[in-house]
Amino acid sequence: GRSTSMSTFKKIAEPGSTVQDVIDSEFMKLSSVCILEATSEEHSLFKEGKLQRLPDKMVERAKAEDIKDVILQGIDDQLWGIMKSLAAGGIESMKEQMPESGLPMMWGFLALVPVLAAVFFLYSKFQAMQKEKSAKKEKKAAKKQK
């Protein structure tokens, strides 16, 4: 419900909070599936405005037995820091906008999920570039040893 999502959001934004603190929340499971497992096709559909809600397969994936392990392995310190920043900014934004608009607060949370997915998409591209650079360095080092 709305109050549960808001408390999760606040918990994420708290200084010193960890993934473990919110790993059991539905919001964390759903947003992690979006961030960690959205395909580039799904990301494109969302950017084009053709993906209006989470695909059923993502909702089901968030309920899977292994989702906690996936979250713990996939959400590293850098990504957690980004999520914390977005949560803190989102809370402030919702405090300012939601009472006037009359929209349910959940819409504010749902609006951040695609932002998290976009952030992760950029983050994953960055990680891929870093791996590529280190692989090239390793190849050069291996050639020098020969």
Side-chain angles (χ1 to χ4, degrees):
R2 189 172 99 172
S3 63
T4 306
S5 297
M6 186 60 168
S7 64
T8 300
F9 220 52
K10 286 179 180 177
K11 188 79 171 169
I12 292 170
E14 279 178 14
S17 69
T18 67
V19 174
Q20 281 293 97
D21 295 331
V22 293
I23 198 164
D24 290 318
S25 74
E26 183 180 12
F27 178 80
M28 186 65 187
K29 291 174 182 176
L30 287 169
S31 58
S32 295
V33 168
C34 290
I35 293 167
L36 299 173
E37 298 185 357
T39 64
S40 54
E41 180 185 345
E42 288 164 337
H43 186 260
S44 296
L45 287 172
F46 174 77
K47 280 175 45 177
E48 295 167 13
K50 295 179 181 173
L51 192 63
Q52 298 296 318
R53 63 182 194 87
L54 287 179
D56 291 340
K57 69 176 186 172
M58 285 186 163
V59 174
E60 288 305 311
R61 180 70 181 112
K63 297 175 185 174
E65 292 285 324
D66 70 333
I67 195 62
K68 290 181 186 181
D69 293 332
V70 170
I71 293 169
L72 291 173
Q73 290 171 11
I75 306 291
D76 63 15
D77 291 343
Q78 191 173 5
L79 194 52
W80 180 244
I82 292 168
M83 290 177 77
K84 288 175 72 61
S85 296
L86 286 171
I91 289 169
E92 288 307 310
S93 174
M94 283 185 281
K95 281 180 184 174
E96 293 170 10
Q97 296 172 9
M98 291 303 165
E100 296 168 17
S101 69
L103 288 173
M105 202 167 283
M106 188 55 145
W107 287 109
F109 297 123
L110 294 177
L112 280 179
V113 169
V115 172
L116 290 171
V119 167
F120 182 72
F121 181 75
L122 295 174
Y123 173 76
S124 62
K125 292 290 183 197
F126 172 76
Q127 291 292 89
M129 286 177 16
Q130 297 296 72
K131 285 180 184 175
E132 202 173 289
K133 284 181 185 178
S134 66
K136 286 180 182 177
K137 285 182 184 177
E138 287 173 15
K139 283 182 182 179
K140 283 182 183 179
K143 284 182 181 178
K144 285 183 182 179
Q145 288 177 354
K146 289 183 179 178

